Amino acid sequence: MSEFIKTLCPYCGVGCGLEVSPPAQQGKATHRDSQGNPIWRVRGDKAHPSSQGMVCVKGATIAESLDKNRLHYPMVRDSLDREFRRVSWDEAFDTIVNRLQTVRFTQGPEAICMYGSGQFQTEDYYTAQKLMKGCLGSNNFDANSRLCMSSAVAGYIQSFGSDGPPCCYEDLELTDCAFLIGTNTAECHPIVFNRLEKYHRKNRKVKMIVVDPRHTPTAEAADLHLAIRPGTDIDLLNGIAHLLMRWGHIDTMFIEDCTSNFSAYAEVIRHYPPEVVARQCGISIENLETAARYWGESQRVLSLWSMGVNQSSEGTAKVRTIINLHLMTGQIGKPGSGPFSLTGQPNAMGGREAGGLAHLLPGYRLVKNDQHRAEVEDVWKIKRGQISANPGLTAWDMITGLENGSVGLLWIAATNPAVSMPDLERTKKALLRSPFTIYQDAYYPTETAAYAHVLLPAAQWGEKTGVMTNSERTVTLCQAFRQPPREAKADWEIFAEVGRRLGFVKEFSFANSAEVYAEFTQLTRGRPCDMTGISHEQLKTQGPTQWPHPKDEGDKGDQGAKLLPHPPHLPHSKRLYTDLRFHTPDGRARFGAYYSKGLAEPPDPDYPFVLTNGRLYGHWHTQTRTGRIEKIRSMHPQPFIEIHPRDAAQLGISENQLVEVRSRRGQANFPAKVTKAIAPGTVFVPMHWGALWADNAEANALTHPESCPDSLQPELKACAVQLIPVAHKMVVKNYQLQSSQW
Ligand SMILES: Nc1nc2c(c(=O)[nH]1)N[C@H]1C(S)=C(S)[C@@H](COP(=O)(O)OP(=O)(O)OC[C@H]3O[C@@H](n4cnc5c(=O)[nH]c(N)nc54)[C@H](O)[C@@H]3O)O[C@H]1N2
Ligand SMILES: Nc1nc2c(c(=O)[nH]1)N[C@H]1C(S)=C(S)[C@@H](COP(=O)(O)OP(=O)(O)OC[C@H]3O[C@@H](n4cnc5c(=O)[nH]c(N)nc54)[C@H](O)[C@@H]3O)O[C@H]1N2
Ligand code: SF4
Ligand SMILES: [Mo]
């Protein structure tokens, strides 16, 4: 037997295959971290189709975080000003179940909320949906994906009739033109970027366009960087469409045969001539024309996007406007082309499959759809009508629900909202008002633990077996290779035990996560994300598998046809929509006709700068893991604010000087990084430093919760701020070396 256990990197949505081996192997030197502690050895899995053996620094160092500052035991306290006391699981479960029942029967199931995460495995997600939406009758399950992928989900559903990124990573090496918009792929999806970069370097005819207000490492590699003003993406995209139309670079046959609503779209883009668009976006007409020429003259165009597009008050419109360009030029359903949203978290895709947002149900179904609810109720063997027809509260609705007293119980798992939610001062005040918060995490301390009444220790990556789906729809089995520390338990086991103690014994009689997965895949039968042919056993023997993957190609047509208006696309095909039939009632993809609206909070004389924010190569979100890894800490020792030299000179700010940044909602301090990588009038801060890791350097102290009306995703990427140079110094904190007392 091989000494290596195959799994998946638990960080980003690229989904790189990893192989791990134990710290001590016979006859071999023990692998150790920088403090000399033995750690598991991690290397890229060459057999994994998505990553082909490659890993970035995060995947390579993941094992170093496994034993640092873990939460080991359930802890309870009566109120937030008390100390936690250690309790048995039995007592913790009793406390939770009593509270759930009280809230359920006094305030009603809609007062119960769960806020989960794209870092759950699919089995965790699925069990949580069954508990909340099926058994408790509350659709108030939302995930941090609301802050991340919900605009992409809404955009795909509105344009194609269903969610599901249609492309695959092979397209990176088959395209003539890669159009990267609102994505810093080099730092955030490094292995996707490596594949694209290598191919781009070898093939000089292949074009790479990057649209980002910052000159990122991604932009550095591009043939054309369009440093548009934040929030002007729709202007740019409509402006490109205008030129394509003017130059006749459109696929009229495709438009006529496979789409609807083109005339409304054509009317909109008429209003986006190059002079207007260039001025609005802050770019030259020449660069705009070059971008349109690259699009129009390429046989195959692949667009890639992430948070610069999704995290916007017009996020869904932005996504649909990208898709419009593909529809207008027939760039979909063929190799090297298509609109490809890059998923952020390792299993945000699995979350979507399992129905892990407040308006979704498992199998790419919608809460509002009567037939969808009935289908799920039947598989769950619960009575018809048990699932509520009303979409539940979104992440931000849960915060406002705490403010107005309508939320009686909040259960948070695998996310750290006391850092990652917008408008943190308001978020934290709301969390302080929560009558009862359960917080289920792998680490202690995290910023959110300060707001919990109950702490539940979660088993994390490597300590539970389950499944994750990456950006290209490839499903990988993540095998457990070590025991959870002390009393930590897998998330799905915690949800299932609560379910049984609430009386749903049959519903949660799973013996292991393979059984959970098997039940879940039944709910994908005949759906666009059909995975009835995938199981733990099949993944173990056949390796990572892309969906759609129905059980037997023969039965694709029968039950599937009953549930779907159109037969799904070729089973086992790498791409969706190769037959150019979409999941809409008439089988046509829909153009979305959108005028640009711009930022929800544009700069003004009082708050003259646009603050944007995002990620750095080494760090992962709120640093629960990466902050505890020495190599990564030294790559990114402190937060900073990028300011253009012209703005810095005007304000008298010098390199490294501390700058106080104020928005209408809060303030934070960052040392200045004076750089031409950012446009004048815009500033950038990383999102990674919460209250545990630096003194007052939280990006979200400044941001606002204004959201896209369709996806309800907040505009985390832009708010208006003022800058004031100050004299004192930044304090960076270090939590990594304390050993966990619990
Ligand atoms: N190293 C690292 N990698 C990660 C993560 C991490 O924490 N660390 N997290 C993962 C997750 S969950 C996610 S969601 C992804 C996010 O991946 P990305 O979306 O690539 O990352 P961000 O840095 O948040 O934002 C991307 C870019 O959007 C730009 N932007 C800001 N405003 C606008 C605008 O109006 N228009 C356009 N076109 N661009 C704009 C920013 O300048 C920034 O460079 O990364 C994943 N990968
Ligand atoms: N300003 C600003 N804010 C943002 C963003 C931005 O670009 N700018 N991006 C948004 C986006 S896209 C995202 S995805 C969010 C991310 O924000 P968060 O979800 O808050 O970030 P993480 O630090 O990844 O938190 C994950 C938590 O899950 C825990 N964990 C890991 N594995 C497990 C497990 O198996 N079980 C359990 N129970 N816990 C586990 C980790 O210890 C960690 O505490 O931030 C959002 N907030
Ligand atoms: S690219 Fe993403 S999935 Fe791959 S090793 Fe890096 S963090 Fe992990
Ligand atoms: Mo994300």
Side-chain angles (χ1 to χ4, degrees):
M1 208 188 92
S2 161
E3 69 200 33
F4 288 99
I5 298 135
K6 283 183 189 284
T7 180
L8 190 78
C9 173
Y11 286 119
C12 85
V14 174
C16 297
L18 299 182
E19 293 181 327
V20 290
S21 61
Q25 295 161 48
Q26 261 186 341
K28 286 197 186 152
T30 302
H31 203 50
R32 293 178 190 279
D33 70 7
S34 50
Q35 276 97 50
N37 305 310
I39 51 165
W40 288 73
R41 186 186 296 268
V42 174
R43 67 177 192 197
D45 175 5
K46 291 205 172 86
H48 197 287
S50 301
S51 52
Q52 305 165 353
M54 293 180 271
V55 283
C56 78
V57 70
K58 293 182 290 305
T61 54
I62 171 73
E64 284 189 45
S65 65
L66 293 182
D67 286 314
K68 304 243 173 84
N69 299 137
R70 293 296 299 273
L71 175 61
H72 287 135
Y73 305 106
M75 311 289 294
V76 172
R77 59 179 167 185
D78 295 331
S79 63
L80 299 185
D81 52 9
R82 299 274 182 84
E83 292 286 305
F84 282 110
R85 69 191 164 83
R86 183 179 152 187
V87 296
S88 64
W89 269 108
D90 205 40
E91 189 179 339
F93 281 130
D94 275 350
T95 308
I96 291 169
V97 167
N98 284 340
R99 195 70 179 214
L100 275 169
Q101 295 291 47
T102 307
V103 174
R104 193 173 162 208
F105 295 118
T106 55
Q107 289 177 267
E110 55 287 346
I112 300 170
C113 296
M114 188 184 283
Y115 181 47
S117 164
Q119 291 162 70
F120 276 161
Q121 294 177 334
T122 302
E123 296 78 355
D124 303 323
Y125 256 121
Y126 176 74
T127 317
Q129 302 319 301
K130 193 171 183 182
L131 178 65
M132 289 292 296
K133 296 175 180 171
C135 298
L136 290 169
S138 168
N139 287 330
N140 298 337
F141 178 99
D142 215 41
N144 56 4
S145 298
R146 181 68 64 183
L147 312 178
C148 181
M149 301 313 302
S150 54
S151 295
V153 175
Y156 280 137
I157 293 179
Q158 292 184 7
S159 292
F160 297 146
S162 169
D163 187 17
C167 313
C168 62
Y169 294 161
E170 252 182 45
D171 292 327
L172 299 164
E173 290 135 0
L174 291 169
T175 192
D176 301 320
C177 176
F179 182 76
L180 281 62
I181 177 164
T183 162
N184 182 4
T185 328
E187 295 196 72
C188 297
H189 294 93
I191 301 310
V192 157
F193 191 73
N194 281 5
R195 286 182 68 167
L196 179 63
E197 238 289 82
K198 231 192 258 168
Y199 167 74
H200 176 239
R201 242 185 291 125
K202 268 203 223 134
N203 298 279
R204 289 316 301 172
K205 277 200 200 137
V206 171
K207 300 299 180 202
M208 192 197 289
I209 307 172
V210 170
V211 184
D212 193 309
R214 299 161 56 218
H215 191 87
T216 57
T218 314
E220 185 62 32
D223 300 292
L224 178 67
H225 172 212
L226 300 173
I228 60 166
R229 266 206 295 272
T232 59
D233 301 77
I234 294 184
D235 299 276
L236 176 78
L237 295 159
N238 283 348
I240 293 175
H242 183 102
L243 287 171
L244 292 175
M245 186 87 149
R246 188 187 281 180
W247 297 337
H249 283 308
I250 65 171
D251 186 338
T252 34
M253 287 262 280
F254 179 86
I255 294 170
E256 234 159 72
D257 294 348
C258 309
T259 71
S260 59
N261 205 33
F262 180 68
S263 52
Y265 175 59
E267 170 54 28
V268 167
I269 60 178
R270 224 167 46 77
H271 299 276
Y272 289 83
E275 314 72 54
V276 172
V277 170
R279 196 175 341 112
Q280 189 64 18
C281 297
I283 57 172
S284 68
I285 293 183
E286 191 191 349
N287 280 350
L288 172 63
E289 287 177 344
T290 307
R293 215 180 47 248
Y294 288 169
W295 257 92
E297 292 174 358
S298 300
Q299 291 298 310
R300 298 169 293 193
V301 185
L302 181 69
S303 56
L304 303 165
W305 78 88
S306 42
M307 294 310 116
V309 169
N310 292 346
Q311 286 172 344
S312 158
S313 54
E314 43 183 0
T316 308
K318 281 191 187 181
V319 168
R320 294 199 66 194
T321 308
I322 297 171
I323 294 174
N324 286 340
L325 285 179
H326 287 272
L327 297 180
M328 166 179 217
T329 52
Q331 296 284 2
I332 185 160
K334 59 185 188 185
S337 68
F340 197 176
S341 104
L342 292 173
T343 318
Q345 298 174 90
N347 197 35
M349 286 284 292
R352 284 143 76 170
E353 294 152 14
L357 285 169
H359 61 298
L360 302 179
L361 289 172
Y364 276 8
R365 289 181 174 85
L366 299 171
V367 155
K368 275 192 178 159
N369 183 309
D370 297 344
Q371 191 190 335
H372 287 180
R373 286 195 312 281
E375 286 163 3
V376 176
E377 284 159 354
D378 289 353
V379 170
W380 283 349
K381 301 195 177 71
I382 55 178
K383 66 177 190 300
R384 286 283 177 95
Q386 172 91 8
I387 300 175
S388 161
N390 302 321
L393 300 181
T394 66
W396 186 253
D397 293 338
M398 292 179 192
I399 297 299
T400 56
L402 289 173
E403 286 176 342
N404 66 29
S406 60
V407 170
L409 183 151
L410 176 61
W411 191 339
I412 303 169
T415 178
N416 193 3
V419 184
S420 54
M421 281 282 208
D423 197 350
L424 269 188
E425 202 175 312
R426 191 167 160 196
T427 294
K428 288 177 185 176
K429 270 199 197 131
L431 288 171
L432 280 177
R433 294 189 52 174
S434 173
F436 194 76
T437 300
I438 306 162
Y439 183 51
Q440 185 167 312
D441 203 282
Y443 290 88
Y444 184 89
T446 75
E447 288 81 354
T448 303
Y451 301 89
H453 299 87
V454 177
L455 293 177
L456 299 178
Q460 62 162 331
W461 176 77
E463 298 158 0
K464 56 181 179 182
T465 293
V467 157
M468 294 208 185
T469 307
N470 73 9
S471 286
E472 63 161 348
R473 292 173 280 106
T474 294
V475 182
T476 303
L477 184 67
C478 310
Q479 302 195 65
F481 54 84
R482 51 180 249 143
Q483 288 298 317
R486 317 276 170 88
E487 296 189 3
K489 282 184 195 289
D491 295 289
W492 75 266
E493 286 181 299
I494 299 171
F495 300 142
E497 180 60 23
V498 168
R500 288 189 292 268
R501 286 175 185 236
L502 282 165
F504 304 104
V505 177
K506 269 196 324 300
E507 287 80 357
F508 294 101
S509 63
F510 307 112
N512 52 42
S513 58
E515 286 186 13
V516 179
Y517 196 71
E519 184 180 297
F520 157 67
T521 60
Q522 290 316 303
L523 274 162
T524 66
R525 185 183 307 283
R527 302 295 302 157
C529 58
D530 195 323
M531 312 176 221
T532 44
I534 301 181
S535 66
H536 281 206
E537 196 47 40
Q538 175 270 338
L539 290 170
K540 214 183 279 178
T541 52
Q542 292 169 29
T545 306
Q546 203 176 24
W547 66 252
H549 192 91
K551 189 169 176 94
D552 167 27
E553 290 174 36
D555 51 58
K556 185 85 188 172
D558 52 52
Q559 186 153 5
K562 270 183 241 146
L563 299 178
L564 278 175
H566 287 282
H569 307 282
L570 294 181
H572 303 251
S573 127
K574 289 193 161 136
R575 294 172 191 87
L576 306 181
Y577 311 125
T578 47
D579 61 355
L580 308 183
R581 298 286 284 166
F582 298 87
H583 293 297
T584 50
D586 62 4
R588 290 166 175 270
R590 299 185 197 107
F591 278 97
Y594 293 97
Y595 291 99
S596 54
K597 294 208 181 92
L599 299 177
E601 187 183 71
D604 62 17
D606 290 337
Y607 295 91
F609 291 89
V610 177
L611 173 95
T612 189
N613 56 73
R615 294 158 169 81
L616 304 177
Y617 173 60
H619 270 311
W620 178 259
H621 297 155
T622 71
Q623 300 199 35
T624 42
R625 288 183 181 124
T626 53
R628 295 175 166 104
I629 299 173
E630 197 51 46
K631 182 170 179 182
I632 289 177
R633 286 178 61 84
S634 53
M635 281 173 81
H636 307 294
Q638 62 172 28
F640 55 83
I641 181 163
E642 286 183 359
I643 307 175
H644 189 273
R646 200 190 74 188
D647 293 333
Q650 226 162 49
L651 295 165
I653 294 170
S654 50
E655 180 75 10
N656 250 324
Q657 182 174 2
L658 204 62
V659 179
E660 182 176 329
V661 185
R662 288 189 194 155
S663 77
R664 288 186 176 80
R665 295 152 296 277
Q667 67 76 240
N669 296 327
F670 307 88
K673 196 179 206 176
V674 180
T675 168
K676 286 191 178 144
I678 191 100
T682 304
V683 290
F684 170 86
V685 300
M687 65 168 288
H688 304 296
W689 277 267
L692 277 183
W693 301 97
D695 215 8
N696 203 18
E698 294 156 308
N700 284 325
L702 304 159
T703 55
H704 63 70
E706 290 304 312
S707 299
C708 167
D710 290 312
S711 67
L712 307 176
Q713 175 161 358
E715 185 159 275
L716 285 161
K717 273 288 172 276
C719 65
V721 296
Q722 48 180 246
L723 308 179
I724 302 146
V726 291
H728 54 100
K729 282 217 155 19
M730 162 114 253
V731 180
V732 180
K733 300 179 185 171
N734 183 349
Y735 269 84
Q736 65 164 339
L737 300 176
Q738 292 178 2
S739 62
S740 174
Q741 60 274 47
W742 303 331

